Amino acid sequence: MSETTARVASAPVVAESSSARGRRARIALRTVQVLIALFYVIASALPKLIGNQYAVDAFDKIGWGGAGMYTIGALELAGGVALLVPVLQSVAAIALSALMVGAFVVQMTVFGGENAATPLILIVPLALIAWARRGSTTDLLRLVRRRS
């Protein structure tokens, strides 16, 4: 009888710790999403969109000029904002990851590997967001199908 009582008494503790752990994981993931979104909006897109001289020089060196700079800035801004929209968060993380693959290639070929680690480092949390929020892609597909 004491063995049965011990099992019943310990079951809620396990359930509470699992839900508490899940809650902490969701909070941590949301925090990472907000930080990554802020990075893309403030530190990456904004200098391109306001024509910061460093960004202008970098895009001139690439050969894309102002049009390329504003396009990449707009894509980063849209991706950063979309990371905060529940139905778009997974797709945004995938799109930003693809953008970072391109940034890595440009860093390696045009700039000789200078700052090439940055896009690779950003891909890791973006991949985590894309995987953890993959259900939002299903929700997005349902919305699109309903509208068509």
Side-chain angles (χ1 to χ4, degrees), residues 32-91:
V32 168
Q33 279 182 252
V34 170
L35 291 174
I36 295 289
L38 286 172
F39 170 80
Y40 275 104
V41 170
I42 295 170
S44 195
L46 189 62
K48 294 172 182 81
L49 295 174
I50 64 172
N52 179 291
Q53 192 58 48
Y54 178 77
V56 170
D57 293 344
F59 277 86
D60 283 344
K61 185 172 182 179
I62 295 169
W64 293 357
M69 179 181 69
Y70 291 122
T71 301
I72 297 298
L75 290 171
E76 290 175 340
L77 177 64
V81 171
L83 276 176
L84 303 176
V85 178
V87 74
L88 299 175
Q89 55 197 352
S90 180
V91 173

Side-chain angles (χ1 to χ4, degrees), residues 65-127:
M69 179 181 69
Y70 291 122
T71 301
I72 297 298
L75 290 171
E76 290 175 340
L77 177 64
V81 171
L83 276 176
L84 303 176
V85 178
V87 74
L88 299 175
Q89 55 197 352
S90 180
V91 173
I94 293 167
L96 287 170
S97 294
L99 197 61
M100 290 302 97
V101 170
F104 174 76
V105 170
V106 168
Q107 289 294 331
M108 292 302 292
T109 57
V110 177
F111 297 104
E114 180 184 337
N115 299 321
T118 303
L120 294 179
I121 291 168
L122 288 168
I123 287 173
V124 174
L126 288 169

Side-chain angles (χ1 to χ4, degrees), residues 9-34:
S10 68
V13 174
V14 172
E16 286 176 23
S17 67
S18 294
S19 66
R21 187 176 5 186
R23 183 172 184 270
R24 284 193 302 268
R26 285 191 303 276
I27 290 170
L29 183 62
R30 178 55 72 179
T31 302
V32 168
Q33 279 182 252
V34 170

